[in-house]
């Protein structure tokens, strides 16, 4: 199962809107087939592993990180394939929350007299597909907020300067998460201030997330990298009061404009619209006011703070979470700290909001 989980993890960032899945076929203590789901529409993990096992699958065991599917999607059902292959025992890490699949695959295997074991490696399997499970359950993308802050919680100086708060190593670590998310989102002030590319630049390459810019009045400079570099689709998200003519200039540059229903943008309406576009996960890289909005509306599922051993001070420097904030401590958002790591001189703190 550890190998199956490793195979699943290796394809993270490639399979959206599908989950990552790994499968290993074992016969008499020997590995005779392995597989991972590599891209949506492609063969499932079990298909790869059973194909490789061939007739050695007869009487073998299969370890799979997600309940084998039982529906006729873009590939035939894996539960049937497992039954036909003569596999005798199936070890499944976690059930599939997709209503199309949930529990039916297990049922079909049991009815065929196959010995089914549930739960081996479950917590790791659930963590691997947290984006997918959230999306299937809510129809909206899993929102990860990422902020780079000084020890005193500042994300930019009063002059707007932020280069660089964290080290090269921390900034590289960010690119792994850019690769793993379907979309990256920033506010227009970050575009104006930093002119970022928002692409994934890893030594081994990686997938560029779709770029989402929250830009209520369409103020993004037309010569910005995210408009001109054609490295990844860019969607400008506006309120309802932007004149059509203004939008045309950006559409001609190859951008998509997503105009929401109100004069201002709520994060709740935004994530609902992103869900309709089958975006399973969004990495919100800032800045201060955008993070403030997601905090205020409690519209995020995870927070990653890169904290640098620097102190900025200053009443007008930018807090990592801007906006109005909560008027009382009691109304503040409680989070559960999931991990604290060091990356070079910086700290990386991961937290998830507590259900109120
Ligand atoms: N200023 C800092 C950050 N700043 C994050 C801003 O979004 C910044 O404009 C983009 O990350 C730049 O994107 P790109 O590299 O051009 O694709 N993020 C960090 O992790 N550390 C910092 O110090
Ligand atoms: N990727 C994966 C599964 N994915 C399940 O099947 C759904 C996608 O079906 P399709 O569109 O046909 O690829 C997906 O939403 C999830 O419920 N199932 C599996 O048995 N093994 C796999 O490797
Ligand atoms: Zn399947």
């Amino acid at each position: 199962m550890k190998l199956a989980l490793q195979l699943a993890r290796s394809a993270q960032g490639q399979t959206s809107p599908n989950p990552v899945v790994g499968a290993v076929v074992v016969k008499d203590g020997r590995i005779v087939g392995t597989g991972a789901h590599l891209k949506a529409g492609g063969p499932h993990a079990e298909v790869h592993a059973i194909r490789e096992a061939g007739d050695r699958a007869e009487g073998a065991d299969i370890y799979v990180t997600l309940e084998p599917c039982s529906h006729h999607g873009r590939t035939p059902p894996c539960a049937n394939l497992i039954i036909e292959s003569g596999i005798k025992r199936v070890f499944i890490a976690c059930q599939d929350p997709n209503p199309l699949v949930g529990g039916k695959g297990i049922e079909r295997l049991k009815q065929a007299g196959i010995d089914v074991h549930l739960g081996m490696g479950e917590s790791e399997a659930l963590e691997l597909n947290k984006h997918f499970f959230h999306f299937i359950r809510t129809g909206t993308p899993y929102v990860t907020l990422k902020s780079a802050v000084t020890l005193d919680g500042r994300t930019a100086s009063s002059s707007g300067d932020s280069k660089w708060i964290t080290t090269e190593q921390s900034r590289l670590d960010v690119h792994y998460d850019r690769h793993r998310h379907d979309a990256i989102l920033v506010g227009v002030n970050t575009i104006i201030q930093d002119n970022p590319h928002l692409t994934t630049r890893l030594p081994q390459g990686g997938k560029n997330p779709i770029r989402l810019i929250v830009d209520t009045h369409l103020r993004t400079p037309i010569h910005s990298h995210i408009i001109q570099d054609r490295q990844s689709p860019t969607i400008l998200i506006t309120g309802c009061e932007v004149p059509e003519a203004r939008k045309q200039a950006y559409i001609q540059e190859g951008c998509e404009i997503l105009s929401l229903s109100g004069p201002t943008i709520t994060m709740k309406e935004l994530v609902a619209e992103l869900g309709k576009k089958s975006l399973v996960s969004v990495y919100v890289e800032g800045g201060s006011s955008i993070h403030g909005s997601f905090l205020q509306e409690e519209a995020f599922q995870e927070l990653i703070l890169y904290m640098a051993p620097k102190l900025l001070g200053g009443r007008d420097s930018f807090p990592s979470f801007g906006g109005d904030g909560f008027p009382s401590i009691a109304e503040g958002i409680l989070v559960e700290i999931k991990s604290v790591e060091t990356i070079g001189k910086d700290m990386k703190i991961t937290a998830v909001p507590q259900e109120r």
Side-chain angles (χ1 to χ4, degrees), residues 50 90 143 172 199 211 220 255 262 291:
I50 292 171
V90 179
V143 175
L172 178 68
T199 50
R211 297 177 292 197
T220 297
C255 286
H291 283 145

Side-chain angles (χ1 to χ4, degrees), residues 56 64 91 114 158 167 219 236 272 302 324 337 347:
R56 286 170 300 179
V64 60
F91 294 83
I114 289 180
S158 50
T167 59
R219 293 185 296 125
L236 300 173
E302 184 172 335
D324 300 335
I337 305 277
M347 272 197 296

Side-chain angles (χ1 to χ4, degrees), residues 109-302:
L109 292 170
K110 284 183 175 169
Q111 273 159 10
I114 289 180
D115 191 6
V116 177
H117 299 258
L118 264 181
M120 186 190 279
E122 183 176 48
S123 55
E124 200 176 330
L126 292 173
E127 170 67 19
L128 267 183
N129 278 316
K130 63 188 174 185
H131 296 172
F132 172 73
F133 291 155
H134 174 84
F135 178 73
I136 286 288
R137 245 197 333 269
T138 65
T140 61
Y142 182 102
V143 175
T144 304
L145 304 184
K146 168 263 169 182
S147 183
V149 295
T150 57
L151 212 49
D152 56 333
R154 298 302 193 233
T155 193
S157 71
S158 50
S159 69
D161 179 37
S162 66
K163 295 194 174 11
W164 287 98
I165 293 172
T166 57
T167 59
E168 190 81 30
Q169 210 181 338
S170 294
R171 296 204 306 273
L172 178 68
D173 189 65
V174 165
H175 286 246
Y176 285 94
D177 273 318
R178 288 184 175 185
H179 167 73
R180 278 194 286 259
H181 284 74
D182 286 356
I184 184 168
L185 184 147
V186 295
V188 61
N189 295 332
T190 292
I191 300 298
I192 293 170
Q193 189 65 39
D194 299 345
N195 192 17
H197 287 273
L198 302 179
T199 50
T200 299
R201 301 183 303 275
L202 290 169
Q204 71 275 30
K207 177 189 90 281
N208 289 332
I210 290 173
R211 297 177 292 197
L212 307 172
I213 317 300
V214 174
D215 184 1
T216 311
H217 306 295
L218 207 44
R219 293 185 296 125
T220 297
I222 202 83
H223 53 267
S224 306
H225 288 315
I226 47 117
I227 307 269
Q228 300 300 335
D229 73 6
R230 302 281 192 281
Q231 294 281 306
S232 186
T234 293
I235 303 178
L236 300 173
I237 297 143
T238 76
C240 63
E241 293 174 342
V242 176
E244 271 315 305
R246 188 161 177 63
K247 294 180 189 174
Q248 279 315 315
Y250 293 89
I251 292 168
Q252 264 143 32
E253 294 293 333
C255 286
E256 183 185 331
I257 306 273
L258 170 62
S259 294
L260 300 185
S261 64
T264 58
I265 292 169
T266 69
M267 298 305 121
K268 279 214 168 38
E269 182 181 5
L270 173 53
V271 293
E273 285 304 311
L274 298 179
K276 289 177 194 161
K277 290 174 170 294
S278 287
L279 291 173
V280 170
S281 54
V282 179
Y283 189 64
V284 181
E285 193 157 343
S288 174
S289 65
I290 293 296
H291 283 145
S293 303
F294 276 101
L295 179 70
Q296 209 79 37
E297 297 184 42
E298 302 184 40
F300 67 101
Q301 279 66 51
E302 184 172 335

Side-chain angles (χ1 to χ4, degrees), residues 328-340:
S328 73
I329 302 293
E331 290 168 271
I333 296 283
L334 259 184
V335 297
E336 181 192 344
I337 305 277
K338 300 299 273 187
S339 70
V340 180

Side-chain angles (χ1 to χ4, degrees), residues 15 17-22 36-47 64 66-79 96-102 132 136:
T15 62
N18 283 358
V20 287
V21 183
H37 182 48
L38 299 175
K39 68 181 174 57
H44 285 182
E46 301 90 321
V47 175
V64 60
L66 180 71
E67 172 183 3
C69 68
S70 56
H71 72 289
H72 285 263
R74 288 168 282 195
T75 59
C78 293
D96 191 319
N98 184 344
L100 261 178
V101 181
F132 172 73
I136 286 288

